[in-house]
Amino acid sequence: MSTPRDVAVFVGSLRKDAFSRKVANALATLGPPSLKLSIVEIGHLPLYNQDDEAGPPAAWTSFRTRVKAADAVLFVTPEYNRSVPAALKNALDVASRPYGQSAWDGKPGAVVSVSPGAIGGFGANHHLRQSLVFLNVPAMQQPEAYIGGAADLFDAGGAIVKPGTREFLQSFLQAFAAWAATNAKA
Ligand SMILES: Cc1cc2nc3c(=O)[nH]c(=O)nc-3n(C[C@H](O)[C@H](O)[C@H](O)COP(=O)(O)O)c2cc1C
């Protein structure tokens, strides 16, 4: 069997018991063998400040290196005030610089938004897509993934209790595997 594609997964919430992290963990178990999903942490990244490019923090450098190594990127995020949480936006910004050396450039991507509410983080999902256009991340259009009702989605061990959601996430990952293959960076 060929080597699975390395999918770097970014979780937009820093909360220990985050629903979005639970969705990310579930996704890591539901994908086809052609994908290997690994969460890449973002909570330790210092806030982006262009002045620091003269001597970038080690956390920025290793994060940029990790993003560059990925074959594909997957964002699993809650919605904060109808947008993307600051921690995730900061991670996007950190790996986008220095100018002309963006680690995101050309990586196939996908977005999953998660909320206890009914709208499933639609606003965050689409604000994130706006940044991905500029970052030249081809973001899978279909299926869209707005995971609502997240507070009722997991058992005590973090497994998804709704078969329909599990099946949807499986089909999402099947589509993403095809998307990552079609849009693989040369
Ligand atoms: C600062 C802040 C802003 C929020 N704004 C929204 C929002 O716009 N839409 C929404 O559906 N939920 C919103 N929520 C509620 C979150 O969906 C909820 O806290 C969720 O559990 C966060 O995701 P997590 O479980 O992955 O940490 C907000 C929560 C916080 C802390």
Side-chain angles (χ1 to χ4, degrees):
M1 200 181 78
S2 57
T3 313
R5 262 173 232 286
D6 170 21
V7 180
V9 181
F10 306 91
V11 175
S13 175
L14 306 186
R15 195 168 75 86
K16 181 166 49 70
D17 295 323
F19 299 128
S20 45
R21 184 170 287 268
K22 289 180 184 172
V23 170
N25 286 334
L27 283 164
T29 69
L30 294 172
S34 60
L35 298 182
K36 181 176 185 304
L37 276 64
S38 321
I39 293 178
V40 176
E41 300 297 341
I42 61 170
H44 63 299
L45 295 171
L47 274 183
Y48 187 76
N49 179 341
Q50 199 172 348
D51 291 342
D52 296 338
E53 290 294 4
W60 288 5
T61 305
S62 55
F63 183 70
R64 289 164 173 169
T65 302
R66 175 65 187 92
V67 176
K68 278 188 180 151
D71 297 311
V73 291
L74 174 61
F75 300 91
V76 184
T77 186
E79 176 173 85
Y80 277 7
N81 300 311
R82 296 283 181 257
S83 186
V84 177
L88 182 54
K89 183 59 166 57
N90 184 54
L92 285 179
D93 295 342
V94 165
S96 73
R97 295 281 155 156
Y99 183 74
Q101 297 173 43
S102 170
W104 305 108
D105 186 54
K107 311 262 177 200
V111 178
V112 177
S113 54
V114 181
S115 173
I119 305 174
F122 175 89
N125 192 306
H126 284 261
H127 267 187
L128 179 52
R129 286 171 183 275
Q130 180 172 321
S131 294
L132 297 181
V133 170
F134 182 69
L135 294 171
N136 194 31
V137 170
M140 184 170 74
Q141 293 102 337
Q142 293 293 335
E144 298 157 277
Y146 311 107
I147 308 299
D152 302 318
L153 206 51
F154 305 97
D155 67 17
I160 293 179
V161 294
K162 296 193 176 167
T165 304
R166 226 175 15 247
E167 283 158 25
F168 168 72
L169 292 176
Q170 268 166 341
S171 62
F172 178 89
L173 287 168
Q174 289 283 357
F176 187 45
W179 181 260
T182 305
N183 294 282
K185 191 169 174 176

